[in-house]
Amino acid sequence: MMDMDPTTQNPEPIDPITNVTETIAPATNGRTAPQPVASYLHTFLLVVLMIFMAYLSAKGFAMKQASGEGQDQAFHIGKYLPTLIWQWALFGIVYAGIKKQGVKLKDIIGGWWKDIEDFLLDIVIAFGFFVTALITLALLQKLLLPPEAMDASTRIKSMAPIAPHSFLDLGMFILVAITAGIVEETVFRGYFQKQFSALTGSALIGIVLSAALFGSGHVYQGKMMAVVLGFYGLMFGVMAHFRRNLRPGMIAHIVQDSFSGSMLFFLTRHPDLLEKAKHM
């Protein structure tokens, strides 16, 4: 009669050829610890460079505001060209760092679209994020910014140095928006978020640190706006973490910046509408 006592049974199979017990590896949950995508020295130097550039950007923006440079409505390619050069230089630095580590760009982005359904899903997610971000940022600005800063005419005046005044300006602004959507999502939500997560061993800390660095890059708009945009970066980071790719973030980022530039363009060309709105 067969012995059914479980204590006497051998749960591990025996190879019939070698008569050696095979070891069964324990099941895993499929999750692995975050891995660095570049050397930490590369990341440290890049962080230092970005903080320095944020400082220069803030100083330069303040000088333009003080000189009234934004009142000139003629087209100047130099208004946006430095931003385009810096963005793609930043992309190149990140690409060189990950390539040296043996990491592919598609691994940073999270792969490309597999089919039309995958593409449409990212469009839907990006649209939902865009609407949610508009509401969230409006509430945060209401809470953190002084009442006078919320005035539309004040906001337009403060953003005058980068506001588009002509159709050529608007075209360049949208080009900058497309560049920012691709580059900033790759750099912050791809490179930095993965690096900080690997360094700290925590995805949450990686998201927070990347968002803080993103916010610091917008300090030229004011300290409180840097905090608001840091939270904006946090939202992008959470979406990238759960979606496991940067595609909807890139789409939403491009749409958000293009929308903001288009609104600036429209309101600078029709300042009378602001006055009418105040008396409504």
Side-chain angles (χ1 to χ4, degrees), residues 36-253:
V37 296
S39 72
Y40 291 129
L41 176 61
H42 181 271
T43 303
F44 172 76
L45 294 175
L46 186 54
V47 169
V48 171
L49 175 62
M50 293 191 70
I51 292 175
F52 176 70
M53 291 300 294
Y55 170 78
L56 290 182
S57 177
K59 296 290 287 185
F61 192 78
M63 291 174 62
K64 289 179 180 179
Q65 284 182 315
S67 66
E69 183 175 318
Q71 304 306 315
D72 185 359
Q73 298 187 16
F75 172 71
H76 299 292
I77 192 170
K79 182 187 292 186
Y80 303 113
L81 187 60
T83 301
L84 287 170
I85 293 173
W86 161 241
Q87 290 270 329
W88 287 113
L90 183 60
F91 185 90
I93 293 170
V94 166
Y95 181 75
I98 65 173
K99 186 176 181 181
K100 188 174 181 181
Q101 189 78 3
V103 176
K104 296 180 180 179
L105 184 60
K106 71 175 183 179
D107 297 328
I108 295 292
I109 295 174
W112 316 114
W113 290 294
K114 298 176 182 178
D115 48 44
I116 187 64
E117 288 82 5
D118 204 25
F119 170 74
L120 292 176
L121 177 59
D122 281 342
I123 293 292
V124 171
I125 293 173
F127 178 77
F129 179 88
F130 171 69
V131 174
T132 303
L134 282 180
I135 297 171
T136 303
L137 293 180
L139 291 174
L140 281 174
Q141 291 177 70
K142 188 78 172 177
L143 290 171
L144 297 177
L145 299 182
E148 59 271 16
M150 294 299 296
D151 182 73
S153 57
T154 302
R155 297 293 297 275
I156 291 174
K157 185 177 179 181
S158 68
M159 297 300 292
I162 62 172
H165 292 282
S166 66
F167 284 102
L168 281 175
D169 272 349
L170 181 60
M172 285 293 292
F173 193 102
I174 292 175
L175 181 60
V176 171
I178 294 171
T179 297
I182 296 171
V183 173
E184 291 184 5
E185 291 308 305
T186 301
V187 171
F188 290 99
R189 263 61 71 178
Y191 174 87
F192 278 122
Q193 189 162 307
K194 291 179 183 297
Q195 278 292 85
F196 291 147
S197 296
L199 178 62
T200 62
S202 168
L204 176 60
I205 297 177
I207 292 171
V208 171
L209 290 178
S210 174
L213 188 60
F214 177 75
S216 70
H218 296 80
V219 74
Y220 66 90
Q221 296 184 41
K223 293 178 181 179
M224 285 297 98
M225 272 305 297
V227 173
V228 171
L229 292 173
F231 190 86
Y232 183 47
L234 189 73
M235 294 174 65
F236 274 110
V238 171
M239 178 169 63
H241 175 73
F242 285 103
R243 180 57 178 152
R244 297 188 181 278
N245 68 67
L246 308 180
R247 299 189 305 261
M250 288 180 174
I251 296 169
H253 199 143

Side-chain angles (χ1 to χ4, degrees), residues 9-53:
Q9 299 301 308
N10 186 349
E12 297 179 339
I14 299 176
D15 191 314
I17 298 177
T18 61
N19 201 34
V20 176
T21 301
E22 295 179 342
T23 302
I24 300 177
T28 63
N29 59 10
R31 295 183 179 180
T32 58
Q35 298 298 311
V37 296
S39 72
Y40 291 129
L41 176 61
H42 181 271
T43 303
F44 172 76
L45 294 175
L46 186 54
V47 169
V48 171
L49 175 62
M50 293 191 70
I51 292 175
F52 176 70
M53 291 300 294

